[in-house]
Amino acid sequence: MRMVKLQQKISGSWRTLEGARSYCAIRSYISTMRKQGQDVLSGLQLLFEGDVWLPEWSLDLSASRLSPHEADT
């Protein structure tokens, strides 16, 4: 929340709700990468190339969502 208020203070306001949401999504992605010890610039480069870095725990969660039939394949 602090970064959002700081950005709002610097720029004066958010022009659109979509812009504020995009800003929060990017900040969240960067924060998670830092907490996971990943190189932020490399992660952002991957993101803009159409690939997405995901933390290890999110990969475990996505695997657990598979049905038993899908897990076998």
Side-chain angles (χ1 to χ4, degrees):
M1 185 69 175
R2 180 181 172 137
M3 290 305 299
V4 172
K5 293 305 283 182
L6 180 62
Q7 176 64 24
Q8 186 179 23
K9 180 180 174 182
I10 291 169
S11 66
S13 67
W14 294 103
R15 294 184 185 260
T16 65
L17 183 58
E18 184 64 30
R21 286 183 177 149
S22 296
Y23 177 80
C24 290
I26 293 167
R27 291 293 309 175
S28 176
Y29 188 75
I30 290 171
S31 176
T32 301
M33 289 193 71
R34 285 183 179 152
K35 289 176 184 176
Q36 295 288 321
Q38 300 297 314
D39 180 46
V40 174
L41 291 177
S42 296
L44 290 174
Q45 182 177 358
L46 281 175
L47 183 64
F48 287 114
E49 291 173 353
D51 198 4
V52 178
W53 171 84
L54 295 172
E56 292 295 322
W57 55 267
S58 67
L59 297 175
D60 294 340
L61 289 176
S62 63
S64 67
R65 291 183 195 148
L66 295 175
S67 69
H69 182 263
E70 292 173 319
D72 293 335
T73 57

